[in-house]
Amino acid sequence: MNVLIIHAHHEPRSFSSALKDQAVESLRRANHEVVVSDLYSMGFDPVSDRRNFSTVKDANYLKQQAEETHASESNGFAADVDAEISKLEAADAIIFSYPLWWFGVPAILKGWIDRVLVAGRVYGGPKLFEGGLGEGTKRGMVLMTTGGGPDVYGGWGVNPSLETILAPVQHGVFWFNGFRPLEPFVAWSPAHVSPEDRQAYLASLDVRLEHLFEEQPLVLPNAADFPNWGTDIQNRYMVVVTRKREPDEEYLHRLPDELRTIELWKRQGHVLDMQAAGVAEPNWRAFLTMRAPGKHDVESLLKQLPLAGYLNFDITELDNIGMAQR
């Protein structure tokens, strides 16, 4: 398989660069073809303007998408842009390798996105989401270092959750163009951990990439579920979960399988959010927001939970406030 790594760190001796090097080694050992666009070493120009094109559609007004569409029809992209588009077109998986800067990607990587993901040749019309360049089957992965630790980005920290921070890449770049996003690989705060911990990160990445194309991707909604870019044809449900009786030894034995099942449903797009009280809380409750065609689909899923026999489920269909009556 062909893997394209877009690397965005200016220091070759950084841990971000070490992760990129490990990724190249691991993937090639697994007999994949690997192409690396090391943006800083290439001197990639991140500024998106007329330098993107060798053709001109309208010399008096620069409308990016119009010029991209025209260049797609006329083989009119500048050489550096055309080369990167060709790499992307050949890729079965793309990996964005970068440090998290200001809750986003470095400017040079954003420039690559702005210049290379062009209307016409890469996206547009039916070439979006499951119909996009990635064909709804190819993969996209974030390979990232952070300054802060996992608690800071875990949803209860001072910063936005990592899921929120990565949505512009996972949804807006990968899935928008038909590449199924994988769980990110995050090396948390490598500047503040021991050399042994950094080696453990590299070893973990090596194991992860050995099975890059067997890993189940995250399932984001298909464009077909939103006719004319309107409201989702699937419904949302709030499930309030209570216990029929206090936890016993069997309950605690099944609990890890219960949590793994919920995590799987999150990956598959059935569960959008879950919050739960601690196991010992006497007034225990859990709250799941679920996406499904109908209430019976939710009921069918909930019956599959390892702890279903211990639990009560109160299912309520949610409404999109302000949505026109269906």
Side-chain angles (χ1 to χ4, degrees), residues 160-214:
S161 70
L162 188 66
E163 182 179 3
T164 299
I165 289 170
L166 289 182
V169 173
Q170 298 277 64
H171 187 110
V173 175
F174 291 160
W175 183 225
F176 187 83
N177 290 288
F179 289 81
R180 291 278 181 190
L182 301 175
E183 290 283 356
F185 185 95
V186 184
W188 299 103
S189 195
H192 304 290
V193 301
S194 68
E196 292 76 17
D197 288 334
R198 289 192 286 275
Q199 285 301 314
Y201 279 135
L202 294 173
S204 179
L205 178 62
D206 184 45
V207 172
R208 172 90 183 268
L209 292 180
E210 183 179 352
H211 305 285
L212 178 68
F213 290 95
E214 290 79 54

Side-chain angles (χ1 to χ4, degrees), residues 99-155:
L100 182 66
W101 284 355
W102 293 108
F103 306 122
V105 300
I108 198 168
L109 178 52
K110 182 59 167 65
W112 185 93
I113 293 168
D114 289 346
R115 297 188 70 206
V116 174
L117 302 184
V118 296
R121 189 166 159 187
V122 174
Y123 79 94
K127 293 174 67 174
L128 295 170
F129 298 106
E130 65 269 25
L133 182 68
E135 302 171 351
T137 58
K138 298 181 180 183
R139 284 138 189 274
M141 178 178 168
V142 167
L143 175 58
M144 187 175 69
T145 59
T146 68
D151 289 345
V152 180
Y153 298 100

Side-chain angles (χ1 to χ4, degrees), residues 203-250:
S204 179
L205 178 62
D206 184 45
V207 172
R208 172 90 183 268
L209 292 180
E210 183 179 352
H211 305 285
L212 178 68
F213 290 95
E214 290 79 54
E215 181 179 330
Q216 182 175 356
L218 302 173
V219 177
L220 299 181
N222 289 337
D225 289 344
F226 303 85
N228 301 315
W229 298 96
T231 303
D232 192 353
I233 61 173
Q234 296 203 38
N235 297 310
R236 304 285 192 277
Y237 296 89
M238 172 60 70
V239 182
V240 180
V241 189
T242 56
R243 288 194 295 232
K244 296 178 180 178
R245 56 187 184 274
E246 290 303 304
D248 56 17
E249 185 174 340
E250 181 64 19

Side-chain angles (χ1 to χ4, degrees), residues 69-124:
T69 302
H70 178 67
S72 295
E73 297 166 348
S74 310
N75 193 27
F77 290 104
D80 60 341
V81 174
D82 187 74
E84 296 304 303
I85 297 173
S86 295
K87 295 175 189 177
L88 182 63
E89 290 171 331
D92 298 299
I94 52 176
I95 296 176
F96 281 1
S97 168
Y98 64 95
L100 182 66
W101 284 355
W102 293 108
F103 306 122
V105 300
I108 198 168
L109 178 52
K110 182 59 167 65
W112 185 93
I113 293 168
D114 289 346
R115 297 188 70 206
V116 174
L117 302 184
V118 296
R121 189 166 159 187
V122 174
Y123 79 94

